[in-house]
Amino acid sequence: EVQLLESGGDLVQPGRSLRLSCAASGFNFGDYAMHWVRQIQGKGLEWVAGITWNSDSIGYGDSVKGRFTISRDNAKNLLFLEAKSLRVEDTALYYCGKGSGRRSFEWRPVDYWGQGTPVTVSS
Amino acid sequence: DIVMTQSPDSLAVSLGERATINCKASQSLLHTSTNKDYLAWYVQKAGQPPKLLLYWASTRESGVPDRISGSGSGADFTLTISSVQPEDVAVYYCQQFYTSPLTFGGGTKVEIK
């Protein structure tokens, strides 16, 4: 069974940094692209970042480009999101997602989602 | 960036009736090398993460009932629920995965009339 468990969400002040983690199990993590998607409470979905199975291609949403960094450790089945210079508007529930399509160099949709970790940016 | 526009924002449908949700992309999502439309649909029920329903515009994910279907190509797509059931009450999102940044539509809330 595919499981994705996010952690690291917290209440932080504007301008500070946070590192989110996602522990994956139940599939061959190193074979699949992974994504971070966020959702402001009561609002829609926003793709934050994605990373291909071998880290060959990385993409970011416009609102986080230059501030957030996605990375992965295939040996430990872990996905990360380093969020710097956090803003009030970054407050959201952050989901980790598994991309479909084994060893694809194309972006593919998210076929499994975690439950999310909440990030609150407030002074 | 590709802008995804969904309509309507919400709709109320009687049980057993048809629900239709539209999704329009600001450019074609048809990849000429694969002849596939890089468009997915998700459903999100209250308090839950989203769930993938369809990809390549019309291919159902495993376990998705056949009353849910997708159609369209290029830049115009439709999600149809042929006979709405109580468990279909949710918010539906389209997403393009043609190019980074991947982008979602604003969502359509489906309720029972």
Side-chain angles (χ1 to χ4, degrees):
Chain A
E1 180 192 5
V2 172
Q3 290 193 339
L4 300 169
L5 184 61
E6 303 95 336
S7 61
D10 203 351
L11 168 62
V12 295
Q13 293 180 327
R16 304 298 291 254
S17 299
L18 206 57
R19 191 193 202 201
L20 305 183
S21 300
C22 172
S25 61
F27 65 103
N28 195 344
F29 179 78
D31 279 348
Y32 293 90
M34 297 294 294
H35 303 263
W36 288 100
V37 176
R38 69 185 182 185
Q39 185 169 37
I40 297 171
Q41 190 170 5
K43 302 295 183 183
L45 302 170
E46 181 186 8
W47 186 73
V48 174
I51 183 169
T52 51
W53 61 279
N54 62 352
S55 302
D56 198 52
S57 184
I58 289 175
Y60 297 97
D62 289 345
S63 61
V64 306
K65 199 176 297 183
R67 299 188 298 123
F68 289 16
T69 302
I70 188 172
S71 61
R72 64 190 299 162
D73 184 337
N74 286 347
K76 296 182 179 179
N77 291 356
L78 290 171
L79 176 72
F80 304 104
L81 184 69
E82 189 81 37
K84 296 183 178 179
S85 302
L86 282 160
R87 304 168 180 169
V88 171
E89 54 266 34
D90 294 319
T91 295
L93 185 65
Y94 284 73
Y95 292 106
C96 164
K98 170 187 168 293
S100 61
R102 181 176 177 271
R103 295 202 174 189
S104 172
F105 290 101
E106 298 177 318
W107 294 112
R108 294 289 179 88
V110 175
D111 59 0
Y112 289 92
W113 300 69
Q115 292 297 313
T117 186
V119 172
T120 302
V121 184
S122 175
S123 54
Chain B
D1 296 2
I2 298 177
V3 177
M4 305 298 293
T5 304
Q6 278 183 245
S7 62
D9 292 337
S10 65
L11 72 161
V13 183
S14 300
L15 284 174
E17 294 299 305
R18 178 185 297 263
T20 301
I21 300 170
N22 300 301
C23 176
K24 188 174 183 67
S26 60
Q27 68 178 71
S28 177
L29 305 182
L30 179 62
H31 209 296
T32 52
S33 62
T34 61
N35 199 35
K36 292 180 177 180
D37 290 284
Y38 284 47
L39 189 281
W41 288 97
Y42 300 86
V43 59
Q44 186 176 32
K45 297 181 181 180
Q48 297 181 20
K51 173 189 168 186
L52 180 63
L53 286 175
L54 303 161
Y55 54 96
W56 305 134
S58 60
T59 301
R60 287 187 200 87
E61 181 72 339
S62 176
V64 174
D66 57 11
R67 68 175 185 277
I68 295 175
S69 63
S71 62
S73 184
D76 290 288
F77 302 92
T78 300
L79 175 74
T80 301
I81 307 173
S82 60
S83 174
V84 170
Q85 302 300 305
E87 58 267 32
D88 297 327
V89 169
V91 180
Y92 294 79
Y93 296 93
C94 60
Q95 181 205 33
Q96 66 81 17
F97 53 99
Y98 183 90
T99 189
S100 175
L102 280 62
T103 45
F104 289 91
T108 297
K109 186 175 185 178
V110 173
E111 299 173 310
I112 302 298
K113 192 185 295 183

